[in-house]
Amino acid sequence: MKKFILVTLACLVSVSFAKDRYKDRMFDVSVKKNVVYASSVKHLKMLNSISSTLVTLAKLGKGTAVYLYDNETDLTNVDLRMDLYQPKGDSEKNRAAVVVLHGGAFAAGAKDDKDQHTVTYCDSLAARGFVTAAVEYRLGITAKIKNNTLHIDSLEFSRTVYRGIQDVRAAIRYLRANADDLGIDPARIYLIGNSAGAILSLENLYLDKDSEIPAAAKSKPNLGGLDEYGIQGPAAQANAVAALWGAVHDVAIIEKMDKPVLLVHGKADSTVLFKTGRPLGNIANVLKNIMPSAAATIGALAFSVETPTLYGSFVIDSVLNAKEIVHETYFVEGQPHEFYDYEDYDVKVQKKVFDFLYGLTQKPANYDGIVVALMKPSMLRMGEHNRSFTLARGNNVAYAVTDLRGRIVKNGAISAGETVELMDLDHGVYVLRVRGERPVRFGLSR
């Protein structure tokens, strides 16, 4: 009897201390650095005199590298890289993944940045069972120096943001294309973005059509389409976003979709405004603060920075509420930009983010809903719960259905009034391509 009681107590203790995947640290972590996710990507080449000095000093451990360029005509090809964090000894093959994007005003920062909690988030989440990726994206703004004044205009700033948007999409496509090798679920790829990274995260979710590309990106030299670089085929949007003090360039791009969002923002943020305004209004002070004393002559320069108007978390929250889109918020009175650096908010913010991600893992992956809008919605109609599609007009129009790796699973031709059933496909996410239409991403669940 005594032995039975001891065994029972041991079992109870074992259960009470059992760890929950995605919630508790349960693994050691391995890191694979500098994995190339996009090759031969065009990028700015000629650093201006200020940036050359700062980058040189940064390599000597004196200050922070800030990437400012002379022009957009001198270009070079670069490889874009990510650091992959994986739980050691993990036998799971269908794991959730998290992409972490650093901040830095699109001119500074790095994928191994400890100050911005990038490494902390990647390591902590991988220890909980996620596969995480710290992603580098193209940094640098064209900045002209004239009459001892450094000038950045809103068009050049917009182009820099757009390059980052392209890069994040390429990183997500890379993860989906290599999902089997990495042991991740392509329908569970989430984004955490900080500041500039939060802007890129929200733009990834909502900017999904060529018609939404900012005009600045189309001016000469044209920066190309959303998926200009990297692996082609897989879907480029994340399945959820946690945006720490982020914004979007246009609220019109926020369409109704069932993709979870967490918005974290300090209401006193003067860098990426909580409501509406031009971000980085204090960038002159920011630049002066990060310039080392050894570059005193650089610090003597004046700064003229014009950035495009962005719409912060307050506005995004209002639009999501108006469209009855479920989301989460954590807005804090009186707190500035990156307020996880103050008091005990590092713990509070991390808990909000980790709880949000954990909650996502406790639900079946949501495959329902059309994510990419149609160019001509009157021509094509998806049936209830994506079980079929019907053509409104046209004769002998070619179509193909591919999986997220670009493999054709169904194809043929369809004419007006005809319906193609899709229920013979397996549970999963697919892309429907019909001649003359934009691709439609849809899912089937049982």
Side-chain angles (χ1 to χ4, degrees):
M1 182 67 176
K2 185 177 180 180
K3 183 177 180 182
F4 172 77
I5 293 173
L6 289 174
V7 171
T8 303
L9 286 173
C11 290
L12 288 173
V13 170
S14 175
V15 170
S16 64
F17 284 97
K19 292 186 177 181
D20 193 347
R21 186 185 186 92
Y22 300 127
K23 184 177 183 180
D24 305 304
R25 293 187 70 102
M26 53 192 300
F27 296 99
D28 290 330
V29 176
S30 64
V31 184
K32 186 176 183 181
K33 291 185 174 293
N34 295 318
V35 176
V36 175
Y37 70 86
S39 300
S40 300
V41 179
K42 293 186 183 303
H43 192 33
L44 308 179
K45 181 179 181 180
M46 300 297 293
L47 289 172
N48 66 24
S49 57
I50 295 175
S51 201
S52 294
T53 301
L54 293 175
V55 170
T56 299
L57 290 168
K59 290 178 180 178
L60 298 173
K62 301 177 180 179
T64 301
V66 179
Y67 295 91
L68 304 172
Y69 292 87
D70 272 335
N71 61 70
E72 287 204 42
T73 55
D74 292 307
L75 301 176
T76 186
N77 289 330
V78 299
D79 291 342
L80 300 177
R81 305 173 189 275
M82 63 173 66
D83 293 344
L84 285 170
Y85 295 69
Q86 299 200 56
K88 282 185 179 179
D90 187 17
S91 59
E92 289 291 326
K93 300 296 183 184
N94 207 31
R95 301 170 292 185
V98 181
V99 174
V100 182
L101 301 174
H102 66 82
F106 297 98
K111 59 182 171 60
D112 58 354
D113 195 328
K114 294 182 173 63
D115 291 339
Q116 295 190 14
H117 302 238
T118 303
V119 172
T120 299
Y121 275 47
C122 284
D123 179 79
S124 297
L125 289 168
R128 287 163 168 80
F130 292 91
V131 175
T132 59
V135 171
E136 72 176 4
Y137 51 90
R138 283 171 289 175
L139 298 176
I141 309 169
T142 301
K144 299 176 177 62
I145 304 172
K146 187 176 181 180
N147 298 327
N148 206 42
T149 297
L150 174 71
H151 179 72
I152 298 173
D153 68 29
S154 60
L155 184 145
E156 304 297 350
F157 194 87
S158 295
R159 290 171 66 81
T160 294
V161 175
Y162 182 71
R163 284 190 284 267
I165 292 169
Q166 291 176 315
D167 298 347
V168 174
R169 290 176 65 90
I172 292 175
R173 291 197 310 275
Y174 175 88
L175 293 176
R176 286 208 170 100
N178 292 278
D180 287 345
D181 292 339
L182 296 172
I184 64 175
D185 181 350
R188 297 183 192 273
I189 298 178
Y190 312 132
L191 276 172
I192 300 174
N194 164 51
S195 191
I199 293 171
L200 294 179
S201 297
L202 291 165
E203 293 282 339
N204 173 266
L205 206 61
Y206 298 124
L207 198 167
D208 58 1
K209 297 187 285 294
D210 287 343
S211 60
E212 296 171 341
I213 295 174
K218 299 178 181 179
S219 62
K220 293 183 179 181
N222 192 311
L223 297 180
L226 289 167
D227 298 321
E228 188 76 9
Y229 302 104
I231 294 172
Q232 302 297 303
Q237 286 175 302
N239 299 101
V241 163
L244 311 185
W245 25 92
V248 295
H249 82 280
D250 184 357
V251 294
I253 68 175
I254 302 176
E255 298 170 334
K256 188 159 186 175
M257 63 176 68
D258 191 8
K259 294 211 172 191
V261 176
L262 168 66
L263 302 172
V264 179
H265 221 127
K267 292 185 178 182
D269 194 337
S270 61
T271 301
V272 178
L273 277 68
F274 177 56
K275 292 187 177 179
T276 303
R278 295 179 180 271
L280 300 171
N282 60 344
I283 194 170
N285 292 330
V286 172
L287 288 174
K288 287 177 182 177
N289 288 337
I290 63 178
M291 288 179 178
S293 57
T297 55
I298 295 175
L301 282 169
F303 297 90
S304 171
V305 180
E306 298 174 7
T307 52
T309 297
L310 293 182
Y311 301 87
S313 296
F314 173 84
V315 182
I316 298 169
D317 173 50
S318 300
V319 173
L320 294 176
N321 284 331
K323 293 179 179 287
E324 298 182 339
I325 300 174
V326 177
H327 61 289
E328 299 179 30
T329 63
Y330 181 47
F331 301 154
V332 184
E333 293 283 354
Q335 290 300 323
H337 193 62
E338 294 184 343
F339 65 84
Y340 58 13
D341 289 332
Y342 302 93
E343 302 173 23
D344 60 347
Y345 280 108
D346 58 339
V347 176
K348 292 179 179 178
V349 171
Q350 186 181 95
K351 185 176 188 310
K352 288 288 183 183
V353 173
F354 286 11
D355 286 351
F356 171 71
L357 295 173
Y358 176 72
L360 298 177
T361 67
Q362 301 308 294
K363 304 172 186 177
N366 185 3
Y367 296 103
D368 291 329
I370 300 172
V371 176
V372 181
L374 294 167
M375 184 183 299
K376 304 170 186 173
S378 60
M379 180 176 173
L380 188 62
R381 288 283 185 269
M382 295 297 292
E384 184 182 4
H385 303 305
N386 306 324
R387 291 189 174 92
S388 64
F389 70 90
T390 303
L391 200 67
R393 64 179 184 275
N395 292 303
N396 201 33
V397 177
Y399 74 87
V401 179
T402 62
D403 62 18
L404 290 181
R405 293 174 180 79
R407 297 173 296 199
I408 295 176
V409 296
K410 193 181 189 77
N411 66 335
I414 183 174
S415 297
E418 295 180 348
T419 297
V420 175
E421 297 294 333
L422 300 171
M423 284 305 292
D424 57 329
L425 301 179
D426 293 334
H427 166 95
V429 182
Y430 299 95
V431 179
L432 168 63
R433 292 178 171 83
V434 176
R435 192 181 65 209
E437 295 288 329
R438 286 185 55 89
V440 178
R441 181 171 176 264
F442 70 97
L444 290 171
S445 57
R446 299 287 187 259

